[in-house]
Amino acid sequence: MHSHPEAADTLIVGAMLYDGTGAPPVERDVALRDGRIVAIGNLSNWLAEEVIEANGRALAPGFIDVHTHDDTHVIRSPQMLPKISQGVTTVVVGNCGISAAPVALKGDPPDPMNLLGAREAFAYPTFAAYVAAVNAAKPAVNVGALIGHTALRNNHLDNLKRAATRDEVAAMRAQLEEALANGALGLSTGLAYGSAYEASTEEVATLAEPLAAAGALYTTHMRTEFDAILDAMEEAYHIGKHARVPVVISHLKCAGPSNWGRSAEVLASLDGARKYQPVGCDCYPYSRSSSTLDLKQVTGDIDITITWSTPHPEQAGKLIKDIAAEWGVSQQEAGKRLQPAGAVYHNMSEDDVRRILSHPATMVGSDGLPNDPLPHPRLWGAFPRVLGHYARDEQLLPLEEAVRKMTGLSARRYGLAQRGEVHVGWHADLVLFDPAKVRDAATFDKPQQVAEGIDAVWVNGVLSYRDGQPTGERAGHFVARGPREASANTSANVAF
Ligand SMILES: [Zn+2]
């Protein structure tokens, strides 16, 4: 029997293929050509310009970081080393109510929009302008985008400490519709922050109405993650039901010592809602959170590490209680003097993190803060930490399930068409890693460290990272919302 060799740009030979559906791995060869996966199977009769011997290492869809604040970073630092080095091939920006577009500032960006950069970083009055800037920057990863409710409030309200009027909501809605027409994935809120806290449920529900016709979704950093978390979840479900759209609860957690141990109750609420409407969540695999310094959380009952401070940059890396002692003032007073500032809050229990991470509706998202000079290590380590620490070392979940939570589940939820799973004809976003070696190296003390065991990363078929180094190729681009595909794996309830 004679067969003519088939030709590919790249042939990956002898991989254990984790296809992103949650199915157990199988040994396969995979061929890539012109940015697409063109064959999967025994491809020993194929020729390719480049052949990579996988030697039984894991090949998976490139990881999708559904929770990022990389809005301006993908333009300013398009090599995207913190993400490509983890095997991430697509980032979703615009989370927690803050997006770089569409934005017109009146002065300095209000908290927490300042997480995305200083005034000059906000140069995109329309979403179309942002899309053009992303593509012009040629980032190393693909970029999908949510539109932030707080960003829209900033554009139309003279004062963020109040609810929007009916006319203001209409003006915000017009901007949201422009973004949806240009491929935005959905609307995000950050209702816990002072800049959105006074927004009524009705304000958000009305603003969310155009999402359904566009096939978009609603994501929320809820009004609270502390004692009243169940009420905040009900508010999220209500908004999703009103707007008839899927809901993603951002970085689901039980925050604050009085709330520790309630993850079973919180997940029971999620499961209850999931009987009636599509609801899921994301989380990062750490028991400390990070954001701007919020004086409401400076209560003395948890440790808080300062990561940056505009008036006191020399205090970065210290605990606020030690700064307060050094200054001879209360922690509240120290917090006031440090503002504006960034912080890491030691505010979760490990048992809750594990229970939420292993729930089948939970995706992995880093919530990394790329502009922080002493960033929470999730920026560089979230994905390898799930694969290495939680799946391999702690046996919290099977590796194929960990992969599904960062690929297939994520792509289906966000409408990232033909990504997140390995199928012939789909985009060739792939990561080759060593399951025995993969490990997050980033720590709270030394957070800017590339992960170990991530051996090769392809973005749109282009080898972009290999053996601990970027190749210099940057093949990512803006990805518009596509049709939300039906699940291939009915047993795991992957659709939502
Ligand atoms: Zn958030």
Side-chain angles (χ1 to χ4, degrees), residues 4-260:
H4 289 286
E6 303 275 353
D9 299 335
T10 303
L11 195 56
I12 305 161
V13 178
M16 288 307 289
L17 180 62
Y18 291 77
D19 69 3
T21 67
V26 284
E27 189 177 340
R28 292 285 186 270
D29 307 330
V30 175
L32 321 181
R33 189 172 59 223
D34 297 334
R36 300 274 177 165
I37 295 159
V38 291
I40 305 166
N42 179 342
L43 307 180
S44 52
N45 62 332
W46 279 61
L47 294 177
E49 283 176 34
E50 182 160 36
V51 177
I52 307 261
E53 298 284 348
N55 294 320
R57 285 172 293 173
L59 183 68
F63 305 140
I64 297 168
D65 190 348
V66 294
H67 194 110
T68 87
H69 297 290
D70 290 331
D71 302 55
T72 59
H73 206 62
V74 293
I75 296 167
R76 224 180 13 248
S77 304
Q79 61 278 17
M80 290 297 291
L81 191 59
K83 296 298 167 70
I84 196 87
S85 62
Q86 296 184 62
V88 169
T89 56
T90 299
V91 297
V92 175
V93 304
N95 278 279
C96 299
I98 58 174
S99 55
V103 169
L105 292 177
K106 294 162 191 84
D108 286 330
D111 179 274
M113 286 173 68
N114 54 353
L115 287 173
L116 302 182
R119 195 187 299 201
E120 58 278 8
F122 292 86
Y124 317 105
T126 64
F127 188 68
Y130 177 73
V131 171
V134 167
N135 287 332
K138 294 189 177 22
V141 297
N142 298 310
V143 181
L146 299 162
I147 301 305
H149 166 237
T150 301
L152 298 176
R153 283 170 63 81
N154 159 81
N155 296 344
H156 297 287
L157 274 66
D158 53 353
N159 169 13
L160 297 178
K161 301 282 160 75
R162 63 169 175 83
T165 64
R166 190 189 298 218
D167 286 351
E168 287 162 347
V169 173
M172 289 157 65
R173 233 172 110 144
Q175 284 197 300
L176 177 61
E177 284 170 344
E178 180 263 334
L180 292 170
N182 283 286
L185 302 173
L187 171 71
S188 78
T189 56
L191 298 174
Y193 289 104
S195 47
Y197 191 77
E198 299 304 328
S200 64
T201 305
E202 194 193 347
E203 171 183 324
V204 180
T206 307
L207 176 62
E209 284 168 1
L211 296 172
L217 85 176
Y218 172 64
T219 76
T220 179
H221 175 156
M222 296 187 294
R223 210 172 282 273
T224 183
E225 298 170 328
F226 291 81
D227 294 357
I229 184 170
L230 294 179
D231 296 338
M233 292 174 81
E234 291 294 334
E235 180 182 40
Y237 309 152
H238 169 80
I239 291 166
K241 258 189 220 161
H242 173 88
R244 295 173 292 114
V245 292
V247 176
V248 171
I249 297 175
S250 296
H251 43 58
L252 183 60
K253 67 173 76 70
C254 298
S258 62
N259 222 7
W260 290 351

